[in-house]
Amino acid sequence: MENNLRALELLKEIYNVDQLLSGKEYIKELVHRIAQILKVKYVMVGHALETNPDKNQDKIQTDYLLSDGKFIDNVVYDLHDTPCVNVICGTRVNCYANDVQNLFPYDQLLKDLNVDSYIGAPFLHSDGGLIGLLVIMDDKPMEDRELYTSVVEFFAARIGTEYRRQAVEDSLRRINENLEKLAQERTLELQRAFESLQQTQKQLLSQEKLATIGRITFGIAHELKNPLNIIINSAQLLEEEDLDPDSSKKAADMIYQHGQRANTIITNMLRQARQETALEPEWIDISEMLDHVLDVYVRSLTDMDLKGHLVVKKNIDPRVYAYVFDPPSIERVLINIIDNSLYALGEKYRNNKETFTPTIQVDLKAGPSLFKVTVRDNGTGIPQKHLSNVCDEFYTTKPAGEGTGLGLWIAKQNVEKNRGEIHIESEENKFTQVTIELPGEQRLQEAQL
Ligand SMILES: Nc1ncnc2c1ncn2[C@@H]1O[C@H](COP(=O)(O)OP(=O)(O)OP(=O)(O)O)[C@@H](O)[C@H]1O
Ligand SMILES: [Mg+2]
């Protein structure tokens, strides 16, 4: 009866501990209460150490060692010749109700603690492997073997569950720590990669900036070269002593006009650089513009030999109006194309003065909503294999200092900017023909203007 009450009391106590604690604290409290309620001197919980290669555990490391109600320092002890060796060999309780020292005369611990009764039970992994053991020892004989056996068996199993739970928690914590470490490493790697990308981007940007500056410089040089040449030639003309008043007026006019044009070019390029493009297209008299550009460029030819033999054929529909966003950019297209033709004619003429008649033919034809300008020359022509490159930026066959290779590139950009198209046909040594199509119409009646 008394024993049943003690068993009940023990279960109640354990239930209370179960509700309040977990992990090491739980086992500690459990050990404490087992000793209190069973009124025993020693309670020990330990785990098996794997010390030999064939995995036979022969040493126990105590984790909780209670002596006279107090936890004392843990120990590692060898299982040979101790009652524990029988505990770990079986899966059930081993009980020596009295005189255990005589049964295991070589067990020094039993002697040191003056142990008389011993009861131990193993707790196991789910696969049956040993985790550790729970041992109760006393310096007097065990009164109720049955009660002690069921208590030890029950609590060994309970402690085993706690050990397994702790092992799972430990491995989860380790996994988490590893994951955290991995995440930190990855973050660091990503940060480094990001920084090096930023560095590369900076370098690329500055290279791109330098390239843009170079392109702008070339562009300005290309565009200003023509008006400056005309201004220089006219100024030289004015220096001639016996110049008649009519010619000197013309030369002064040229200087003024082309000075103005250079000024407009710079204004427009700045506008272009600031990306200020008109939102609405405007109408311009392209017939007049083409006629004027052709006239000025033929008149300003410095190659007097070519100038004297050049045949200019014009077939320009009058009063054709272009509907364009940026009128000055169209003038530059015409200039660049005519300039190329005059150069190609000069080149060919220099080598074939007797047999060759340098001819430039400029046509302007109006369609219902588009107009077409063609500039054709019978100059050096373009080899078939280079035809697809002539509109590339910086493509030139001219000697250094004579061409930048930007004329047709600018022409193509400008035509496309104004919603038009540019086509080039050529045959080496025979002809080159550049065609431009742009939105526009012919307005023959005065009232329409
Ligand atoms: N009418 C043409 N006849 C023969 N070759 C031409 C003609 N137009 C262009 N080309 C060829 O196309 C190349 C590129 O022309 P583009 O106008 O772009 O540059 P460029 O005339 O060489 O130099 P820049 O125009 O800057 O003075 C020329 O160098 C030349 O080889
Ligand atoms: Mg050119």
Side-chain angles (χ1 to χ4, degrees):
M1 184 64 189
E2 198 205 338
N3 282 342
N4 283 349
L5 276 175
R6 277 168 75 194
L8 202 66
E9 193 187 340
L10 190 58
L11 282 174
K12 240 169 68 190
E13 284 292 326
I14 301 313
Y15 176 76
N16 287 341
V17 179
D18 244 18
Q19 297 298 302
L20 296 173
L21 302 168
S22 65
K24 285 185 177 143
E25 288 306 308
Y26 167 77
I27 300 174
K28 220 170 158 181
E29 191 58 28
L30 197 68
V31 165
H32 213 80
R33 291 194 186 203
I34 290 172
Q36 248 179 11
I37 292 161
L38 294 182
K39 294 196 176 66
V40 289
K41 217 167 171 188
Y42 307 109
V43 179
M44 178 184 95
V45 178
H47 65 272
L49 293 176
E50 273 177 28
T51 50
N52 55 6
D54 58 4
K55 284 197 167 187
N56 281 336
Q57 288 102 339
D58 55 7
K59 280 196 169 69
I60 285 285
Q61 159 77 66
T62 67
D63 298 316
Y64 310 87
L65 189 53
L66 192 84
S67 164
D68 275 330
K70 284 201 180 75
F71 284 100
I72 57 169
D73 287 347
N74 285 308
V75 293
V76 175
Y77 73 94
D78 206 314
L79 296 176
H80 292 296
D81 301 322
T82 74
C84 291
V85 80
N86 295 330
V87 176
I88 64 164
C89 290
T91 54
R92 303 281 299 177
V93 179
N94 264 275
C95 181
Y96 306 94
N98 61 321
D99 218 12
V100 68
Q101 279 187 52
N102 282 337
L103 290 171
F104 298 93
Y106 302 110
D107 187 338
Q108 191 55 42
L109 192 73
L110 295 181
K111 275 198 187 97
D112 291 348
L113 300 178
N114 191 28
V115 173
D116 188 51
S117 55
Y118 173 105
I119 184 162
F123 42 90
L124 311 170
H125 284 294
S126 45
D127 64 359
L130 181 74
I131 302 175
L133 41 85
L134 165 65
V135 173
I136 294 173
M137 296 176 289
D138 207 1
D139 53 0
K140 47 191 189 305
M142 204 175 290
E143 289 167 18
D144 186 338
R145 194 188 171 115
E146 220 174 294
L147 171 72
Y148 278 57
T149 304
S150 38
V151 165
V152 167
E153 192 166 43
F154 177 78
F155 288 111
R158 184 62 192 82
I159 290 171
T161 311
E162 208 54 34
Y163 264 72
R164 283 195 297 273
R165 206 176 57 76
Q166 267 183 40
V168 171
E169 266 179 15
D170 283 353
S171 82
L172 268 178
R173 204 189 50 247
R174 271 198 301 276
I175 290 172
N176 268 345
E177 279 169 7
N178 281 346
L179 276 177
E180 240 169 65
K181 215 171 122 203
L182 210 68
Q184 272 173 2
E185 279 169 16
R186 290 282 174 281
T187 314
L188 213 71
E189 269 172 35
L190 275 176
Q191 204 171 333
R192 280 199 208 109
F194 179 67
E195 277 167 12
S196 104
L197 261 179
Q198 271 185 327
Q199 195 59 29
T200 316
Q201 193 189 25
K202 258 191 207 162
Q203 281 170 0
L204 281 176
L205 263 178
S206 64
Q207 278 170 9
E208 178 67 19
K209 264 187 202 158
L210 281 178
T212 310
I213 291 170
R215 197 175 296 147
I216 292 170
T217 315
F218 268 107
I220 293 174
H222 178 272
E223 297 293 292
L224 290 181
K225 205 176 63 189
N226 286 322
L228 283 179
N229 275 342
I230 296 172
I231 291 169
I232 292 165
N233 291 340
S234 307
Q236 275 171 345
L237 209 68
L238 277 180
E239 276 180 353
E240 282 176 19
E241 278 174 12
D242 53 350
L243 194 69
D244 60 281
D246 198 32
S247 303
S248 71
K249 166 130 190 12
K250 270 188 190 159
D253 272 355
M254 288 287 240
I255 290 173
Y256 178 74
Q257 268 183 36
H258 289 275
Q260 286 287 17
R261 211 169 73 73
N263 194 25
T264 315
I265 287 169
I266 289 178
T267 312
N268 286 330
M269 287 201 114
L270 287 175
R271 221 178 73 180
Q272 210 163 336
R274 287 198 297 262
Q275 310 251 310
E276 291 172 18
T277 17
L279 292 175
E280 279 295 312
E282 61 178 289
W283 290 101
I284 52 159
D285 187 338
I286 188 83
S287 309
E288 197 185 295
M289 184 188 269
L290 179 60
D291 213 8
H292 176 73
V293 168
L294 182 64
D295 186 47
V296 167
Y297 275 83
V298 170
R299 269 200 292 140
S300 65
L301 258 181
T302 46
D303 182 343
M304 289 306 168
D305 212 7
L306 173 69
K307 198 174 179 177
H309 292 86
L310 181 68
V311 176
V312 180
K313 294 182 180 170
K314 278 199 290 189
N315 193 358
I316 299 177
D317 277 354
R319 308 174 80 87
V320 177
Y321 281 74
Y323 195 48
V324 291
F325 285 100
D326 185 5
S329 72
I330 296 300
E331 189 182 25
R332 290 209 293 279
V333 173
L334 301 175
I335 290 168
N336 289 353
I337 294 169
I338 292 170
D339 185 58
N340 281 347
S341 282
L342 293 178
Y343 185 93
L345 290 172
E347 285 294 286
K348 190 164 167 185
Y349 181 69
R350 206 172 314 142
N351 301 319
N352 305 279
K353 286 192 177 161
E354 259 70 84
T355 52
F356 177 56
T357 311
T359 309
I360 181 167
Q361 162 106 34
V362 177
D363 289 3
L364 171 59
K365 287 261 164 295
S369 61
L370 288 172
F371 66 86
K372 198 188 267 189
V373 176
T374 51
V375 177
R376 186 184 174 99
D377 65 74
N378 60 348
T380 50
I382 302 165
Q384 197 61 31
K385 60 176 179 190
H386 293 151
L387 206 53
S388 59
N389 301 118
V390 290
C391 288
D392 291 351
E393 208 175 359
F394 302 120
Y395 175 82
T396 182
T397 54
K398 294 176 186 170
E402 280 192 45
T404 60
L406 283 173
L408 286 179
W409 182 74
I410 291 174
K412 190 169 186 306
Q413 307 280 316
N414 288 356
V415 167
E416 285 169 0
K417 188 165 79 182
N418 290 288
R419 298 168 301 158
E421 283 178 22
I422 184 166
H423 302 285
I424 302 167
E425 296 155 70
S426 185
E427 205 175 311
E428 199 172 358
N429 261 315
K430 289 206 169 131
F431 79 97
T432 299
Q433 177 168 307
V434 183
T435 308
I436 295 161
E437 280 183 325
L438 278 163
E441 63 187 31
Q442 194 174 25
R443 297 175 176 181
L444 289 175
Q445 288 162 21
E446 199 69 33
Q448 275 182 292
L449 293 177

